[in-house]
Amino acid sequence: MSIHLLAIDLDGTTLNQRGTVSARTKNTLAQVAATGAVIALCSGRSNTTMAPAKQSIGLETLQVAFNGSLGIGIHGETLFKETLAQDQVAAVLKVAEQLGAVVNYYGESVIYAAPTTDEHIILINKLRAKVGAEFVFISDYSTLPMATPKLMILDVHVDKVVAALNAQLGDSGLHFVPDDYFVECLPANVNKGVGFAKLCKLAGIQLENTVAFGDGINDIEFLQTAGLGIAMANAKLELKKVAKRVTQFSNDEDGLAIELEALLAQGMFGPPPTHAVEL
């Protein structure tokens, strides 16, 4: 197997527990790039909150943002974009209101939210500290006419949120991705695997010549789509079950870098074929 494209998740994979890219990881990614292989950052984050990690890595990369809703080229151009329909947005907002939960409404560069309780503020601040997002507080979501690639319901009772969404919106063309204290609401035809496949098709790179690293529930389709899907040692059990293999070390122990060093030593990375398209 020759690897022409390396795809890496950010939180829990490329980033350590402090939310930074270690020197060893930066160095190893530079070595991968030096082989001519393409690097793609694939995250549930918005492209805006992916930017600091991309800058820290310091390499030209492709990007898949919003869990597969948005594809971005090396020079920042939009390659593809999927958004929720307005009736889907309204339906999700209605369920969240019934649950007393706050919703993150993703704009182009900021997140809009209408918190009404101290618990809402606590959860927003928790997410803000993790991804560095800029929030704009509003009183009414109806003032936001723009399309959005995803909505996020913040609530510690994620099982309850998912159950309510499935019960009321199970046939609405949406799918729901739970995490520790939030549930992401996306178009049914969108996930990181679908977005990653679109990116590879546009670049002219065969999926069998790719490797992907991830740690979360939202990485299941991502790792299944790649030629070689590798879960981090700190990954969710559900992801480890579908991965081709699991790293020996966690994201806080340079697990990504150590795995890449082994692949580099085996001469696995190389440039895409000449017919591939530079995005």
Side-chain angles (χ1 to χ4, degrees):
M1 175 186 179
S2 179
I3 300 172
H4 301 151
L5 188 148
L6 164 65
I8 48 177
D9 173 52
L10 292 182
D11 297 289
T13 302
T14 306
L15 303 178
N16 56 32
Q17 293 301 101
R18 295 173 297 283
T20 61
V21 185
S22 74
R24 185 172 182 178
T25 297
K26 290 179 188 178
N27 179 62
T28 309
L29 289 173
Q31 291 181 51
V32 171
T35 69
V38 177
I39 297 177
L41 309 181
C42 302
S43 176
R45 291 188 181 205
S46 68
N47 51 311
T48 301
T49 57
M50 289 174 69
K54 183 179 186 299
Q55 183 177 7
S56 178
I57 291 169
L59 299 170
E60 290 188 336
T61 65
L62 299 173
Q63 294 178 82
V64 173
F66 292 114
N67 270 330
S69 293
L70 178 66
I72 302 173
I74 286 175
H75 305 295
E77 67 278 20
T78 297
L79 302 176
F80 58 84
K81 185 176 183 179
E82 300 285 346
T83 58
L84 294 167
Q86 284 301 307
D87 62 328
Q88 293 174 322
V89 171
V92 170
L93 291 173
K94 182 178 179 180
V95 173
E97 183 179 9
Q98 293 170 356
L99 295 170
V102 66
V103 176
N104 285 350
Y105 194 116
Y106 285 78
E108 288 294 330
S109 59
V110 300
I111 300 173
Y112 297 93
T116 57
T117 69
D118 290 342
E119 180 65 22
H120 292 169
I121 296 296
I122 289 170
L123 293 174
I124 286 171
N125 286 338
K126 186 174 183 179
L127 185 71
R128 191 197 328 245
K130 178 181 180 181
V131 303
E134 179 183 350
F135 278 83
V136 173
F137 290 165
I138 57 176
S139 59
D140 187 355
Y141 291 102
S142 66
T143 63
L144 302 172
M146 81 286 286
T148 182
K150 75 172 182 180
L151 295 171
M152 177 187 286
I153 300 178
L154 298 176
D155 195 305
V156 294
H157 305 292
V158 293
D159 291 341
K160 179 181 177 181
V161 173
V162 171
L165 289 167
N166 282 325
Q168 298 188 45
L169 307 179
D171 59 352
S172 60
L174 295 168
H175 82 109
F176 314 110
V177 184
D179 209 295
D180 293 336
Y181 56 94
F182 57 81
V183 178
E184 294 181 303
C185 305
L186 298 156
N189 62 333
V190 170
N191 59 57
K192 282 175 74 171
V194 170
F196 176 56
K198 287 182 181 178
L199 191 75
C200 290
K201 184 176 181 178
L202 289 169
I205 295 174
Q206 298 297 313
L207 289 171
E208 64 191 40
N209 298 117
T210 66
V211 60
F213 289 80
D215 74 299
I217 299 296
N218 63 327
D219 292 316
I220 289 176
E221 296 90 350
F222 178 44
L223 265 60
Q224 289 175 321
T225 300
L228 174 60
I230 302 177
M232 300 298 293
N234 52 285
K236 299 286 188 182
L237 179 59
E238 296 91 333
L239 185 67
K240 290 180 178 179
K241 287 180 178 179
V242 303
K244 295 286 178 59
R245 65 173 184 251
V246 178
T247 64
Q248 183 177 356
F249 299 97
S250 73
N251 66 314
D252 226 25
E253 302 168 305
D254 283 324
L256 172 63
I258 292 169
E259 192 74 28
L260 291 177
E261 287 166 359
L263 292 172
L264 283 162
Q266 298 169 42
M268 298 291 285
F269 289 103
T274 54
H275 65 266
V277 180
E278 182 178 349
L279 298 176

